[in-house]
C-alpha cells in the first residue's frame, strides 16, 4: 500500500535545492549605509498537507544590528490553480500558501526597509526568485483523469475519477484529503467501488469544510510500481449541486400564466438559490418556441408571464443552482419534470358555465320526456277509438247478416 510517508523523500530534496540555489539578483541596494539584502535561510517545508507549504526565512545578516527601522518582507508566489501571481507583505518570518505539487513552485521575495534616514520612504531590495519543478515518479500514464467532485445538496460530496491510460494489472487507488481544521491528512472515509476497482470517494457532510482549501491526492500501487500522484485543491461550496426542483404547477390567469414550484430539498438555504426556467410553446403554425430565463433573488418561488395569443400549449421545466452571493461557482441541478398548460380547446371552464350547461341538459331532457308522454297518450287514444269502431261494426254486421254467415265475421 502506497502511504503518505512516501512524500518526505522528495520534499527533503526540494528543501535542499532551495537552500543551495543561488539568488538571481545581480545588483545590491543600499540605504542608510547598509545593504538591503534579500532574506536569508529561505526554506520551503511540506508538513504533509497535500500542497499547503510553509515558507520560512530569517532577517538578512546586513540588517541584524540595524535599529530605528522597520523591516518588512514582500513575498510573491505563483498560484498555478488560478494562473496568477499572489503578493503579500508581512513583518513575520513565515508564511503558508497553497501550491500544486504537480507543477513548478515559484517563489519571489525581497526586503523592504523604512527608516528615519530614508525620510520615511520605503526602500526595496533586490527580488530573489526560486523555482522548483518536481519530476514525476511512478508508472508513466497511470495518473488518474477526469477527476471531479459534486457536493449533493450540501448533504454529502462524491469525488470520482477514471483510471489513467496505463492501468497496470491489480492496481489499487488511494485518496487522501486535508483542510485547515485537520491536524493530519486522512484517507477516504468511504470508497466508491466499481467492478474494475476504486473509482471515487464519498465524504459525509461532517468531514467537509466550506470556504477553505480542501486538498486531495489520489495515488496508488501496483505490482509494476507506484502509480503517479494527482493533486487537487477545491473549495467545496463551489461544487454544490442542488436536488431536483419539485412540485411544479402551472395555472392560467386572465391573459397570462402563473408558474409555482417548491425549493429543492437538502441543506442549501433558499436565499442561496437561483433558478432557470425553460419554456417550450407550441404555436398554431406548427412551430415550437423555446426560451430560457434565469431568476435571482426571488421573493417567492413563483413567476407570472403573458401568454401569446396564437399559442396552443406551453410546457415548463425548472432547475436551480447556488447563486453568486453564496459561492463563486456551482453546478446546475437536474431538470424538473415538464409541466404543461392545456390547449385553448380544453381550457378551464368556470363553475358557473358548468352549472348552466347542466341546467340546459336537464331542461332538454324534461322537454323530451314531456313530448314522449304526450305522444304516448295520443297513440293510446287512437288505438282505443279504433277498437271501439271495430266492435260497433261487428255488432251491426251480426244483426244484418244471416246466422249461417255470422262465423265468418267473428
Amino acid at each position: 500500500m502506497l502511504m503518505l510517508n512516501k512524500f518526505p523523500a522528495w520534499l527533503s530534496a526540494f528543501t535542499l535545492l532551495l537552500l543551495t540555489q543561488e539568488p538571481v539578483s545581480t545588483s545590491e541596494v543600499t540605504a542608510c549605509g547598509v545593504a538591503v539584502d534579500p532574506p536569508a535561510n529561505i526554506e520551503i517545508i511540506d508538513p504533509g498537507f497535500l500542497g499547503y507549504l510553509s515558507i520560512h526565512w530569517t532577517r538578512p545578516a546586513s540588517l541584524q544590528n540595524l535599529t530605528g527601522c522597520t523591516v518588512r518582507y514582500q513575498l510573491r508566489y505563483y498560484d498555478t490553480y488560478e494562473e496568477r501571481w499572489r503578493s503579500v507583505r508581512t513583518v513575520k518570518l513565515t508564511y503558508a500558501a497553497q501550491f500544486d505539487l504537480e507543477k513548478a513552485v515559484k517563489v519571489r521575495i525581497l526586503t523592504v526597509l523604512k527608516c528615519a534616514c530614508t525620510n520615511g520612504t520605503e526602500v526595496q531590495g533586490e527580488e530573489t526568485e526560486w523555482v522548483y519543478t518536481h519530476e514525476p515518479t511512478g508508472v508513466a500514464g497511470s495518473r488518474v483523469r477526469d477527476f471531479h467532485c459534486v457536493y449533493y445538496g450540501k448533504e454529502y460530496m462524491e469525488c470520482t475519477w477514471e483510471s489513467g491510460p496505463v492501468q497496470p494489472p491489480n492496481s489499487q487507488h488511494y485518496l487522501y484529503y486535508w483542510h485547515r481544521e485537520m491536524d493530519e491528512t486522512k484517507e477516504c472515509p468511504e470508497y466508491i467501488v466499481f467492478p474494475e476497482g476504486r473509482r471515487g470517494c464519498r465524504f459525509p457532510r461532517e468531514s467537509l469544510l466550506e470556504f477553505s482549501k480542501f486538498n486531495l491526492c489520489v495515488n496508488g500501487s501496483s505490482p509494476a510500481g507506484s502509480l503517479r500522484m494527482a493533486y487537487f485543491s477545491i473549495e467545496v461550496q463551489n461544487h454544490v449541486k442542488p436536488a431536483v426542483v419539485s412540485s411544479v404547477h402551472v395555472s392560467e390567469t386572465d391573459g397570462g400564466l402563473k408558474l409555482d414550484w417548491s425549493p429543492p430539498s437538502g441543506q442549501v438555504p433558499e436565499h442561496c438559490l437561483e433558478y432557470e426556467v425553460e419554456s417550450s410553446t407550441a404555436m398554431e403554425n406548427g412551430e415550437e418556441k423555446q426560451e430560457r430565463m434565469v431568476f435571482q433573488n426571488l421573493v417567492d418561488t413563483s413567476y407570472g408571464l403573458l401568454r401569446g395569443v396564437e399559442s396552443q400549449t406551453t410546457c415548463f421545466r425548472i432547475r436551480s443552482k447556488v447563486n453568486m452571493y453564496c459561492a463563486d461557482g456551482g453546478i446546475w441541478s437536474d431538470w424538473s419534470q415538464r409541466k404543461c398548460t392545456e390547449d385553448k380547446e380544453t381550457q378551464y371552464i368556470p363553475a358557473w358555465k358548468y352549472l348552466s350547461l347542466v341546467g340546459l341538459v336537464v331542461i332538454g331532457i324534461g322537454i323530451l320526456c314531456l313530448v314522449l308522454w304526450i305522444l304516448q297518450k295520443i297513440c293510446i287514444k287512437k288505438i282505443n277509438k279504433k277498437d271501439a269502431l271495430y266492435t260497433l261494426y261487428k255488432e251491426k254486421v251480426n244483426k244484418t247478416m244471416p246466422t249461417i254467415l255470422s262465423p265468418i265475421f267473428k
Side-chain angles (χ1 to χ4, degrees), residues 9-299:
W10 66 267
L11 288 172
S12 60
F14 183 18
T15 305
L16 178 61
L17 284 172
L18 291 179
L19 289 173
T20 58
Q21 187 175 359
E22 294 294 330
V24 297
S25 59
T26 57
S27 62
E28 186 178 85
V29 177
T30 61
C32 303
V34 296
V36 186
D37 291 334
N41 303 319
I42 298 175
E43 293 182 339
I44 301 179
I45 301 173
D46 188 342
F49 296 154
L50 311 180
Y52 192 71
L53 307 180
S54 296
I55 307 169
H56 302 267
W57 61 88
T58 60
R59 193 167 181 165
S62 58
L63 304 180
Q64 287 289 347
N65 299 321
L66 190 64
T67 58
C69 296
T70 301
V71 180
R72 293 195 297 170
Y73 306 95
Q74 178 173 291
L75 174 71
R76 294 199 299 155
Y77 63 94
Y78 190 72
D79 187 337
T80 53
Y81 290 105
E82 298 189 7
E83 298 184 346
R84 67 185 182 95
W85 285 92
R86 292 184 176 272
S87 180
V88 61
R89 281 195 174 188
T90 179
V91 296
K92 297 180 179 180
L93 301 177
T94 182
Y95 187 78
Q98 184 66 39
F99 293 88
D100 184 351
L101 299 183
E102 295 183 81
K103 299 179 181 179
V105 177
K106 301 177 182 179
V107 177
R108 296 175 180 176
I109 192 168
L110 58 82
T111 303
V112 181
L113 185 65
K114 183 178 180 180
C115 302
C117 60
T118 63
N119 296 323
T121 61
E122 291 184 336
V123 179
Q124 293 186 0
E126 292 287 344
E127 186 176 61
T128 302
E129 180 180 38
W130 287 268
V131 179
Y132 174 76
T133 303
H134 171 237
E135 293 297 328
T137 59
V139 178
S142 61
R143 183 188 184 275
V144 298
R145 53 186 175 177
D146 298 333
F147 184 91
H148 65 278
C149 298
V150 180
Y151 193 8
Y152 291 98
K154 285 196 172 185
E155 295 180 326
Y156 66 95
M157 185 173 76
E158 288 186 353
C159 294
T160 57
W161 62 82
E162 296 293 333
S163 61
V166 178
Q167 179 75 4
N170 300 319
S171 298
Q172 182 75 291
H173 287 109
Y174 305 95
L175 180 142
Y176 300 91
Y177 69 100
W178 177 87
H179 56 71
R180 59 181 169 83
E181 292 189 358
M182 297 171 57
D183 296 329
E184 59 182 4
T185 56
K186 292 184 179 179
E187 191 174 354
C188 168
E190 180 184 355
Y191 283 107
I192 301 173
V193 181
F194 288 90
E196 58 270 20
R198 292 174 177 173
R199 290 295 180 269
C201 178
R202 181 177 291 107
F203 298 89
R205 177 183 173 88
E206 56 270 16
S207 67
L208 305 173
L209 181 66
E210 296 185 17
F211 298 99
S212 177
K213 294 295 184 182
F214 191 84
N215 297 341
L216 304 112
C217 173
V218 180
N219 55 21
S221 61
S222 74
S226 300
L227 306 185
R228 289 198 173 178
M229 297 181 183
Y231 292 92
F232 308 93
S233 184
I234 67 172
E235 292 192 17
V236 297
Q237 78 277 358
N238 296 331
H239 295 260
V240 175
K241 182 179 181 179
V244 177
V245 175
S246 60
S247 302
V248 181
H249 299 284
V250 181
S251 57
E252 298 193 27
T253 59
D254 292 338
L257 300 172
K258 185 180 180 183
L259 188 64
D260 298 276
W261 64 91
S262 299
S265 61
Q267 301 296 323
V268 183
E270 291 186 24
H271 69 271
C272 286
L273 290 170
E274 64 181 57
Y275 297 92
E276 183 176 30
V277 177
E278 181 188 77
S279 63
S280 183
T281 305
M283 316 302 288
E284 288 187 346
N285 57 10
E287 297 181 355
E288 186 174 80
K289 180 181 179 182
Q290 288 189 345
E291 293 182 343
R292 285 190 179 185
M293 300 162 286
V294 176
F295 302 100
Q296 294 182 348
N297 302 324
L298 289 176
V299 178

